[in-house]
Amino acid sequence: MTLYAIAPVEPRADRCGEHPAATEPTVPLIRVRQIVTAIVLVFSAVLIFLAIDGLTMNMRLTLAVFVVTITAWTILDLPDTPVALAGAAILPVVGAIDEDVLYRSLGNDIVWLMLAAFVVAGVLRQVGVIEQIIQRLLARLATVQSLFWTLTLLISATAFIIPSTSARAAMLAPVYLGLAAAIGNPRVNRALALLFPSVILLSAGASLIGAGAHLVATGMMEQLRGQSPDFLGWIALAGPFSLLCSLLACAVLLRFFLTREERVMAIAQRAEADIPTSLTRQQWTVLTIAGTMVLLFATQPLHGIGMALIGIVTALVLANERISGLSLKAALKGVEWNLLLFLAGTLVIGEALMETGTANVLAERMVGLAGNRLAAWPALVIGFAVLVATLSHLVITSRTARVTVLIPALALPLAALGIDPLNLVMVITLASGFCQTLIVSAKPVALFGAMDPPPFAQADLFRLAGFLIVPFVVLLVAFATLVWPLQGMQLY
């Protein structure tokens, strides 16, 4: 019996990220949502255009578009990308921002970096180098416990070269299927199926290109202070936290989802003939080029070449049939264009909130309501930000949307209490990565949960999230208030 075999994944969901149990809402529910939306929008319009004084018309229009966008994402549960693009397009139409802001967003270096990273990920998947490396490393593991710990480290490492959690899930799902078929124990397979998406989501925070939300956050940091962490700087700040969270998830799954006998259960060893041979020349070439890209990312302050340009050149080199067997045209088919357009739309909305001064006004008004007494308790302020951002995935299912909404609506107002805004932006960005409570909260969870037969149920996610959320919040508060100040990120 082989330990695992690569096989295609056939999720039972009709739409990406949608679980089969998440059926279309009933007519009464739709009507309730429409009624609630109408009430919220009417109340917001009165508040924005009549009740709040001291705002310019551009501020009022920007704030109105921001509220409508949030309402569409949360209450109406409309698709993320069309809502973001509509909000971005309306802003110049009503005169809140110039048209150039909208057009520039499509040429933003963040969008180009993500485009290049998707092409690189497509090439790595085409040549099978990631899967083969994982197979070789896991081939002789003796027990379930050693398998879980090793997988946690290996999955975490993929965050530094794969730009999307959903892309990582699609690449690693065949590895899970092969392992599950070889193990043949439903309880172990359930814990294994929970481990993959949990580590994919939690480890994404370690890398600047691990999620689009990170690039949005660094863009807002640049607007706020003219500075943001580079590739290595992000790893130094977020890497230890993300690794600890991933290891914590593994420990919870081993301790509370498996018995001692299951943890030490032996894994069927592969026959020598079944162990993957050494990497081919093509795989070594692709791996070397991708490794060079990561090295150039890490040394960007030394050579001064932008990360987006490095990514584009790498993508063009790799998307060559003589090198990878994959043409650029074929590689572009694997790009998540939906995510790129969503990023462009949210960048416009975020820039509008900054440029018109709307975010600053919101911060000043909220400080006036809250008073300055909280400023004496920075850990309490950070804890509040972490808790809100962590729980926001229950309302806003897109991580990038959560960051776009929470930075101006939460980070800036709390920063006015005396907390450094860069610290708060980092806190909110990492906290938004906790999104494994619901099957529909994240695409990696939906992908693994939609397999046939389903390896885990919603109750399993609730149980796992219940064990993880408290240490996650406490750990992030500790990093923000104790660790990061020692690394140069100010608390005040």
Side-chain angles (χ1 to χ4, degrees), residues 433-452:
F434 188 96
C435 46
Q436 55 263 55
T437 306
L438 302 174
I439 289 180
V440 296
S441 291
K443 290 179 182 178
V445 179
L447 189 150
F448 280 86
M451 291 178 178
D452 191 11

Side-chain angles (χ1 to χ4, degrees), residues 238-323:
F241 167 77
S242 299
L243 179 59
L244 286 175
C245 288
S246 300
L247 294 173
L248 175 64
C250 180
V252 167
L253 287 168
L254 287 172
R255 174 65 179 81
F256 297 104
F257 285 75
L258 298 177
T259 63
R260 183 182 181 283
E261 290 73 19
E262 289 167 338
R263 291 195 293 271
V264 299
M265 186 179 73
I267 299 175
Q269 298 294 310
R270 304 184 68 176
E272 283 294 324
D274 293 330
I275 297 176
T277 59
S278 59
L279 297 179
T280 65
R281 181 177 180 181
Q282 181 189 63
Q283 289 174 328
W284 271 117
T285 302
V286 169
L287 192 61
T288 300
I289 295 173
T292 302
M293 178 190 72
V294 175
L295 179 62
L296 290 173
F297 282 166
T299 57
Q300 196 270 338
L302 298 178
H303 53 69
I305 304 174
M307 288 181 60
L309 182 56
I310 294 170
I312 292 169
V313 173
T314 305
L316 291 174
V317 172
L318 286 176
N320 185 308
E321 293 187 18
R322 293 183 178 180
I323 293 177

Side-chain angles (χ1 to χ4, degrees), residues 15 132 270:
R15 294 185 297 174
Q132 184 162 337
R270 304 184 68 176

Side-chain angles (χ1 to χ4, degrees), residues 224-403:
L224 286 170
R225 284 284 185 85
Q227 61 179 351
S228 63
D230 57 17
F231 189 78
L232 282 182
W234 187 280
I235 294 175
L237 291 170
F241 167 77
S242 299
L243 179 59
L244 286 175
C245 288
S246 300
L247 294 173
L248 175 64
C250 180
V252 167
L253 287 168
L254 287 172
R255 174 65 179 81
F256 297 104
F257 285 75
L258 298 177
T259 63
R260 183 182 181 283
E261 290 73 19
E262 289 167 338
R263 291 195 293 271
V264 299
M265 186 179 73
I267 299 175
Q269 298 294 310
R270 304 184 68 176
E272 283 294 324
D274 293 330
I275 297 176
T277 59
S278 59
L279 297 179
T280 65
R281 181 177 180 181
Q282 181 189 63
Q283 289 174 328
W284 271 117
T285 302
V286 169
L287 192 61
T288 300
I289 295 173
T292 302
M293 178 190 72
V294 175
L295 179 62
L296 290 173
F297 282 166
T299 57
Q300 196 270 338
L302 298 178
H303 53 69
I305 304 174
M307 288 181 60
L309 182 56
I310 294 170
I312 292 169
V313 173
T314 305
L316 291 174
V317 172
L318 286 176
N320 185 308
E321 293 187 18
R322 293 183 178 180
I323 293 177
S324 65
L326 190 68
S327 67
L328 180 61
K329 181 179 180 180
L332 290 174
K333 292 181 180 179
V335 174
E336 293 188 26
W337 296 103
N338 188 64
L339 175 59
L340 295 184
L341 291 174
F342 176 66
L343 275 174
T346 53
L347 286 171
V348 174
I349 296 173
E351 188 171 348
L353 288 167
M354 299 290 186
E355 285 192 356
T356 59
T358 308
N360 290 332
V361 172
L362 286 175
E364 293 172 359
R365 299 295 171 87
M366 290 190 67
V367 170
L369 293 174
N372 293 317
R373 287 175 295 180
L374 289 177
W377 303 90
L380 185 61
V381 176
I382 294 291
F384 175 73
V386 171
L387 189 60
V388 172
T390 301
L391 296 177
S392 65
H393 73 280
L394 300 175
V395 181
I396 307 174
T397 57
S398 166
R399 184 175 185 177
T400 307
R402 291 196 293 274
V403 169

Side-chain angles (χ1 to χ4, degrees), residues 123-175:
V123 171
L124 291 173
R125 186 175 184 181
Q126 167 72 14
V127 301
V129 64
I130 299 296
E131 293 94 327
Q132 184 162 337
I133 290 175
I134 292 177
Q135 288 183 50
R136 290 178 61 82
L137 292 174
L138 299 182
R140 293 182 173 84
L141 290 178
T143 64
V144 168
Q145 184 169 261
S146 62
L147 172 68
F148 272 55
W149 289 115
T150 305
L151 273 174
T152 299
L153 297 177
L154 292 176
I155 295 171
S156 297
T158 62
F160 298 100
I161 53 175
I162 310 298
S164 163
T165 53
S166 55
R168 292 166 67 201
M171 183 175 289
L172 293 171
V175 177

